[in-house]
Amino acid sequence: MKTLAFASRNAKELQRDILTSIFGIAFPIVLLVLLSVINSSIPKEAHMTLFEIKNLTGGISAFGLVFLSLFSALLVSKDRCTAFIIRLYASPLKPSGYILGYTVPLIPMALLQTLVTCLFALIFGLSFSANILLAAVVSIVPAFLYISIGLLCGTAFSDKMVGIICGAVLTNLSAWLSNIWFDISLVGGAFEKIAGFLPFIHCVNALRATLEGNYSQIIPELLWVFGYAAVIFACAVLLFNRRMKQDK
């Protein structure tokens, strides 16, 4: 109950910053529209497989979740930079409770973002099916990854630094190493191996497999993502605990 009460407070903080929330939901839609229009305006023989609506929707849905890192990082870092966090330390919450309290309000945002992106893709030819709802559920795991990254960065750095790390650096890493904009296998070599080792491409693969109905591929991809998310989340809890002891 204490964690839920803290999560409720954080949800209200997100609601106050309504423009940021709208941007997080609207940006994937803008990308979907632009790339769909570009793909439809070129000759059919030159169409890119990655930009076919099922592939594009899965890729854009996964890429849009990167903004959850920035949201979660700003929540934590702003609290740390004010006297509010000192007052929080007087509560009976444990470090894991604090971190969960920052995590829970962002999960509904991830579900909404994926649903809105997939539903908007219906305009460009995505077939309506139960896979859209399943994609929203599957997106929870990639969302957990990005939220965990944000929590770790928010605990480690100031609000100015997280804007750079979770805004510019992470967004570019996620974009270039996730097989959204170009076929990484065509690059090959060390670049392809690094992309395969990192979780970003697996986030995209999981959502694409869901929308295409390739259910056997979903769990292996999600396990890779969840492994990263669990380790990063644990590191965020441990670091938050250390910060608590230093600040008390």
Side-chain angles (χ1 to χ4, degrees):
M1 292 300 295
K2 298 182 183 68
T3 300
L4 290 177
F6 182 53
S8 176
R9 174 263 174 186
N10 292 324
K12 292 176 182 177
E13 287 293 318
L14 290 171
Q15 291 170 8
R16 291 191 184 100
D17 194 2
I18 189 66
L19 290 178
T20 302
S21 300
I22 291 174
F23 176 79
I25 294 173
F27 186 70
I29 294 175
V30 173
L31 285 178
L32 183 68
V33 172
L34 287 175
L35 294 175
S36 295
V37 169
I38 291 172
N39 199 45
S40 63
S41 64
I42 61 178
K44 289 186 177 180
E45 60 272 14
H47 278 192
M48 297 179 64
T49 303
L50 289 177
F51 287 179
E52 292 178 358
I53 193 61
K54 283 186 179 179
N55 288 329
L56 186 60
T57 304
I60 295 298
S61 297
F63 179 67
L65 297 173
V66 73
F67 293 103
L68 297 177
S69 291
L70 183 59
F71 298 158
S72 59
L74 287 174
L75 274 175
V76 179
S77 60
K78 285 182 178 178
D79 283 348
R80 285 184 49 245
C81 294
T82 65
F84 178 75
I85 197 69
I86 303 299
R87 296 196 298 272
L88 279 179
Y89 291 158
S91 72
L93 274 176
K94 296 180 179 179
S96 57
Y98 287 112
I99 296 299
L100 282 173
Y102 286 116
T103 302
V104 170
L106 290 166
I107 297 300
M109 183 180 291
L111 293 170
L112 179 62
Q113 183 175 292
T114 304
L115 276 175
V116 170
T117 302
C118 291
L119 291 175
F120 209 88
L122 296 175
I123 300 173
F124 297 96
L126 182 69
S127 300
F128 182 79
S129 69
N131 290 337
I132 291 177
L133 296 177
L134 181 58
V137 176
V138 168
S139 71
I140 292 175
V141 178
F144 180 48
L145 168 71
Y146 285 115
I147 292 169
S148 298
I149 294 173
L151 294 173
L152 181 60
C153 292
T155 305
F157 305 108
S158 67
D159 55 341
K160 293 182 180 179
M161 282 296 297
V162 297
I164 297 172
I165 296 172
C166 294
V169 177
L170 183 60
T171 300
N172 278 284
L173 282 175
S174 179
W176 291 104
L177 297 171
S178 58
N179 212 40
I180 299 174
W181 319 113
F182 60 92
D183 190 346
I184 288 178
S185 64
L186 296 178
V187 180
F191 187 84
E192 183 180 10
K193 291 179 180 178
I194 292 172
F197 178 76
L198 294 174
F200 310 117
I201 193 171
H202 299 284
C203 295
V204 173
N205 289 343
L207 282 168
R208 282 178 174 166
T210 303
L211 292 173
E212 292 171 1
N214 297 325
Y215 306 120
S216 62
Q217 297 180 17
I218 298 173
I219 298 300
E221 299 290 352
L222 287 184
L223 286 176
W224 194 274
V225 177
F226 184 78
Y228 267 92
V231 171
I232 295 171
F233 186 85
C235 290
V237 173
L238 292 173
L239 183 58
F240 195 91
N241 183 44
R242 183 179 178 182
R243 291 286 192 185
M244 285 180 65
K245 292 179 179 178
Q246 290 175 344
D247 294 341
K248 282 184 177 179

